[in-house]
């Protein structure tokens, strides 16, 4: 049987190495992007290490997170033969385009960005200019590769829309240059809930479940998921419970139905549900966890993958930047 022809559209997505990736990153962006890697001729995955500079202040930790995200991508199934995996900071084109775009970015557009408004609302100590202009750098990441599709979680939707607005503005001002990107956000995984049961899963809420952490850490994070206070014997509503919601994202249809029945019948406590989730979780990620251990033994391979990725990405990025520079009059 002939395989389906690949889409000629371009896909781009990134993860910020400001900690170790968690289930929200995986389900919201990494898994969908890896699933799409076979469908697109050109897919770019990168480690957004210029973005993580807005929060990480320790160089040794930063290095560990950067390598960590790359290892995670590979362990989770990204195939460097099919896609381009690279580090944002390996390509100065990102920062350069970011500056050019910032010169057409209305101040008010940044001021209305959710992530910035959240930081201001939380009275973040000493908010930085980097945090304020974060969406412009993200627009540069996307537009440099003329991306059509950007698989992200809901929290990044506005940023992709800003990239689209800036592309449109640039095209109107200097002539047709950029493809207008679109976010790809499947509804069921748009916002993975955190273990606190109130916020989306996020490093900044400290409500995450790690993917590659030690087994005891993962079990502790899962056992700490907030539930209501219904007693063991009472029937429970699966649809409002975080343990059940997370289980649904990694279990089979039959397993989900079985758990639903247990919730509805009563006589089944949240403690047991959490143990079931923890076992499923470790089973779900067992292969990736093993693969990551193997990958860690040869960091030379990882460095090679990133160097090759940077070279491939550079071809696209430098071409776009040259066009942009011609359009704005920087190439004489
Ligand atoms: P980051 O590193 O915070 O998150 C990486 C991806 O994971 C998604 N995600 C979630 N999805 C669903 N539920 C959750 N609880 C959840 N938490 C995180 C995020 O939406 C994201 O898709 N600014 C970006 C990195 C970036 C980028 C880019 C992404 C930089 N440049 C260009 C796409 C294109 C960020 O901080 O993601």
């Amino acid at each position: 049987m002939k395989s389906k022809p690949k889409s000629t559209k371009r896909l781009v997505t990134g993860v910020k190495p400001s900690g170790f990736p968690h289930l929200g990153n995986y389900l919201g962006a990494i898994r969908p992007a890896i699933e799409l890697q076979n469908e697109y001729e050109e897919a770019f995955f990168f480690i957004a290490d210029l973005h993580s500079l807005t929060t990480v202040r320790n160089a040794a930790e930063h290095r560990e997170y950067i390598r960590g995200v790359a290892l995670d991508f590979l362990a989770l199934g990204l195939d460097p033969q099919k896609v381009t995996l690279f580090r944002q900071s390996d390509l100065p084109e990102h920062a350069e385009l970011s500056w050019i775009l910032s010169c057409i970015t209305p101040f008010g557009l940044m001021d209305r960005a959710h992530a910035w408004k959240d930081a201001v609302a939380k009275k973040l100590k000493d908010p930085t200019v980097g945090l304020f202009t974060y969406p412009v750098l993200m627009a540069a990441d996307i537009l440099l590769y003329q991306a059509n599709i950007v698989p992200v979680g809901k929290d990044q939707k506005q940023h992709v829309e800003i990239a689209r607005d800036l592309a449109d503005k640039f095209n109107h001002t200097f002539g047709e240059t950029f493809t207008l990107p679109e976010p790809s956000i499947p509804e069921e995984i748009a916002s993975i809930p955190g273990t606190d049961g109130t916020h989306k899963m996020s490093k900044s809420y400290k409500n995450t479940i790690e993917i590659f952490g030690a087994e005891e850490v993962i079990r502790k994070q899962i056992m700490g998921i907030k539930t209501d206070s219904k007693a063991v014997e009472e029937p429970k509503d699966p649809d409002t419970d975080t343990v059940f919601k997370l289980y649904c994202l990694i279990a089979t249809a039959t397993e989900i139905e079985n758990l639903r029945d247990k919730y509805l019948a009563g006589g089944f406590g949240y403690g047991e549900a959490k143990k079931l989730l923890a076992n499923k979780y470790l089973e779900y990620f067992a292969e990736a966890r093993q693969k990551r251990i193997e990958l860690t033994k040869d960091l030379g391979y990882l460095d090679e993958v990133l160097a090759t990725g940077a070279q491939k990405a550079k071809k696209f990025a430098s071409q776009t930047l040259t066009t942009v520079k011609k359009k704005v009059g920087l190439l004489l």
Side-chain angles (χ1 to χ4, degrees):
M1 206 174 69
K2 258 190 162 174
S3 59
K4 205 170 120 205
K6 289 186 177 184
S7 167
T8 50
K9 289 186 172 173
R10 234 169 253 161
L11 180 150
V12 170
T13 200
V15 173
K16 186 173 58 178
S18 53
F20 295 109
H22 53 76
L23 187 66
N25 298 137
Y26 174 67
L27 295 174
I30 302 174
R31 184 170 77 178
I34 287 176
E35 282 167 0
L36 291 172
Q37 71 181 342
N38 295 318
E39 293 177 27
Y40 286 77
E41 254 169 40
E42 301 291 351
F44 295 89
F45 290 52
F46 67 94
I47 301 145
D49 55 357
L50 294 175
H51 279 108
S52 46
L53 273 180
T54 56
T55 50
V56 183
R57 293 286 179 261
N58 177 302
E61 259 174 32
H62 205 190
R63 273 184 211 110
E64 202 187 338
Y65 294 151
I66 293 168
R67 276 230 164 87
V69 170
L71 288 169
D72 296 346
F73 265 128
L74 293 175
L76 289 166
L78 182 124
D79 180 349
Q81 302 299 326
K82 292 185 185 151
V83 307
T84 305
L85 174 66
F86 67 100
R87 219 145 68 88
Q88 185 188 31
S89 67
D90 272 341
L91 281 95
E93 287 83 354
H94 288 246
E96 211 173 336
L97 180 60
S98 176
W99 174 255
I100 295 174
L101 292 175
S102 75
C103 296
I104 58 152
T105 304
F107 189 90
L109 186 65
M110 295 297 96
D111 210 28
R112 289 192 297 276
H114 300 317
W116 172 253
K117 286 207 309 201
D118 278 359
V120 174
K122 278 193 217 142
K123 299 208 169 19
L124 187 78
K125 212 170 139 249
D126 299 332
T128 60
V129 174
L131 196 62
F132 186 68
T133 56
Y134 185 108
V136 186
L137 177 58
M138 190 157 154
D141 300 336
I142 297 169
L143 303 183
L144 265 181
Y145 302 94
Q146 304 285 11
N148 307 89
I149 302 287
V150 188
V152 282
K154 201 162 84 186
D155 61 332
Q156 298 296 320
K157 180 169 183 263
Q158 193 196 30
H159 288 158
V160 181
E161 286 163 358
I162 290 176
R164 193 180 167 88
D165 286 353
L166 293 182
D168 197 37
K169 181 150 188 209
F170 190 96
N171 290 349
H172 274 96
T173 314
F174 296 105
E176 211 50 35
T177 308
F178 292 121
T179 304
L180 303 190
E182 275 188 44
S184 159
I185 312 177
E187 194 42 50
E188 65 290 0
I189 47 166
S191 187
I192 308 299
T195 54
D196 57 2
T198 9
H199 299 101
K200 63 160 190 175
M201 189 175 286
S202 165
K203 289 160 235 174
S204 55
Y205 291 124
K206 299 193 168 50
N207 64 358
T208 61
I209 307 173
E210 285 174 35
I211 300 171
F212 295 104
E215 182 174 333
E216 317 80 79
V217 173
I218 289 174
R219 287 193 183 275
K220 203 167 158 212
Q221 287 169 334
I222 292 178
M223 295 314 284
I225 296 174
K226 289 253 164 9
T227 58
D228 62 30
S229 51
K230 287 211 170 91
V232 174
E233 57 280 5
E234 286 181 80
K236 301 175 180 63
D237 179 1
D239 298 318
T240 55
D241 178 51
T242 309
V243 181
F244 185 77
K245 282 186 201 162
L246 294 177
Y247 190 78
C248 286
L249 294 163
I250 53 172
T252 64
T254 318
E255 287 168 338
I256 295 168
E257 270 326 295
N258 287 341
L259 187 60
R260 175 179 286 282
D261 291 345
K262 286 187 177 157
Y263 267 68
L264 296 174
F268 178 77
Y270 286 120
E272 270 182 89
K274 289 177 187 175
K275 273 191 206 140
L276 211 65
L277 173 63
N279 291 341
K280 181 77 218 167
Y281 193 90
L282 290 162
E283 177 197 315
Y284 184 88
F285 287 112
E287 203 183 314
R289 288 165 64 84
Q290 187 52 39
K291 191 162 170 205
R292 198 180 190 285
I293 294 171
E294 297 304 320
L295 286 163
T296 314
K297 291 181 188 156
D298 181 10
L299 291 178
Y301 168 71
L302 178 72
D303 291 343
E304 241 171 67
V305 167
L306 292 175
T308 310
Q311 260 177 17
K312 282 206 269 174
K314 183 130 190 133
K315 268 200 235 148
F316 281 89
S318 61
Q319 208 178 9
T320 310
L321 192 62
T322 302
T323 308
V324 168
K325 283 179 155 180
K326 280 187 193 152
K327 297 263 174 164
V328 300
L330 288 179
L331 280 183
L332 304 179

